[in-house]
Amino acid sequence: MPKGGLPPQTQLTTDRAVFTEAYAVLPRGTMTDIVTSQLPFWEQTRLWVIARPLSGFAETFSQYIVEVQPGGGSDRPEGDPGAEGVLFVVAGSLTLTLDDDEHRLAPGGYAFLPPGQRWTLRNTGDEAATFHWVRKAYQRVDGIDVPEAFVTNEADVEGREMPDTDGAWTTQRFVDPVDVRHDMHVNIVNFEPGGAIPFPETHVMEHGLYVLEGKAVYLLNNDWVEVQEGDFMWLRAFCPQACYAGGPGRFRYLLYKDVNRHAVLSRQLV
């Protein structure tokens, strides 16, 4: 999670930050106090906006890293009635209220919030709490119900082995991939040391990847890039990607992708 603060004047400006037509990398060192934002109706809270829709780039989602001080939070957290969201806690604890039910979110806590859901979030503990907030405009489909809210923890979600990887590559899926009510997935991808994506994936889904643990080299379009815990990668649709996890420990990231909907066409054929 971001450490905040500012680097000393003596530090070199050269870093791994890059923004290209196909991908962006925001290293953890770019997430300083000077780039934080505020939100309406949030108290004692600041956030790092690490993804937002950009025309011609990643267009479907936004992602924030939110830091809430003790006593802080919001009773009016989401201003867009068409937005769905996922909350994923990485430090501290938070109290989430869904309608009239309270849920305590500890590290690893995960909540899915459908559009129009009534919710509040408060830090009732003694230390700052940090969470990821992924937001997307939900694409309604006539005849398909909107999915209901749910709360879980990553510790309660089994990692499913990817085919022919002998457990070196697993994915913790928080919703059923064939449940077409959901138009986004926010999962956790895990690699043991030496694990790899052994081919350049090229697909229609946009991606946000926040590294939760470890380090690896990641193929982004034509470039092999070193990434580590606290870094964020932002990939537009069809950007080739692969990775090698070199160790010494696990490599894990929180992954966003848009799924289960027709491509939106600018003009309808008559």
Side-chain angles (χ1 to χ4, degrees):
M1 61 183 181
K3 300 298 184 184
L6 286 173
Q9 293 285 293
T10 53
Q11 178 171 302
L12 294 177
T13 58
T14 304
D15 199 356
R16 296 172 293 116
V18 62
F19 191 100
T20 75
E21 64 180 12
Y23 70 89
V25 178
L26 280 63
R28 63 189 187 187
T30 64
M31 301 177 202
T32 65
D33 290 346
I34 204 170
V35 298
T36 57
S37 299
Q38 309 293 319
L39 287 176
F41 309 115
W42 282 81
E43 303 157 5
Q44 300 181 59
T45 299
R46 64 177 183 170
L47 65 149
W48 289 263
V49 179
I50 56 177
R52 54 160 289 180
L54 293 176
S55 179
F57 193 68
E59 299 179 334
T60 63
F61 76 109
S62 68
Q63 186 163 345
Y64 310 151
I65 304 174
V66 187
E67 181 185 85
V68 185
Q69 296 300 320
S74 179
D75 296 327
R76 298 176 60 183
E78 175 58 78
D80 185 343
E84 61 186 322
V86 163
L87 312 180
F88 181 74
V89 178
V90 292
S93 64
L94 293 157
T95 299
L96 170 69
T97 302
L98 297 175
D99 296 320
D100 296 319
D101 296 326
E102 285 193 356
H103 304 267
R104 183 174 175 81
L105 299 180
Y110 182 109
F112 170 75
L113 307 166
Q117 174 68 48
R118 184 164 58 92
W119 61 285
T120 69
L121 194 69
R122 287 286 171 184
N123 182 350
T124 57
D126 298 326
E127 61 180 3
T130 305
F131 68 96
H132 286 258
W133 184 4
V134 181
R135 301 168 65 245
K136 181 183 182 296
Y138 184 71
Q139 292 178 261
R140 295 178 183 269
V141 178
D142 186 35
I144 302 293
D145 291 337
V146 175
E148 64 275 359
F150 69 85
V151 177
T152 186
N153 190 287
E154 67 159 313
D156 299 322
V157 178
E158 181 183 0
R160 299 298 180 90
E161 181 179 316
M162 300 298 285
D164 303 319
T165 64
D166 197 26
W169 173 11
T170 62
T171 301
Q172 291 167 268
R173 296 185 174 95
F174 292 86
V175 301
D176 187 341
V178 300
D179 183 349
V180 296
R181 296 178 305 162
H182 288 274
D183 67 351
M184 75 168 177
H185 292 166
V186 180
N187 299 327
I188 296 176
V189 181
N190 309 282
F191 292 93
E192 297 301 320
I197 299 175
F199 67 101
E201 292 187 25
T202 307
H203 50 59
V204 68
M205 290 89 77
E206 297 177 346
H207 275 342
L209 295 84
Y210 183 86
V211 182
L212 297 169
E213 181 181 348
K215 63 179 182 176
V217 288
Y218 221 96
L219 175 66
L220 299 169
N221 201 16
N222 295 315
D223 306 315
W224 285 98
V225 178
E226 279 193 299
V227 292
Q228 63 180 341
E229 180 182 344
D231 291 350
F232 180 70
M233 293 169 276
W234 197 14
L235 284 63
R236 71 181 301 176
F238 301 109
C239 176
Q241 60 175 293
C243 83
Y244 285 100
R250 293 188 305 172
F251 176 61
R252 309 177 72 231
Y253 54 80
L254 188 70
L255 172 69
Y256 160 87
K257 59 182 177 181
D258 53 310
V259 296
N260 297 340
R261 293 295 183 269
H262 281 293
V264 176
L265 305 180
S266 58
R267 291 188 300 175
Q268 298 293 330
L269 298 178
V270 178

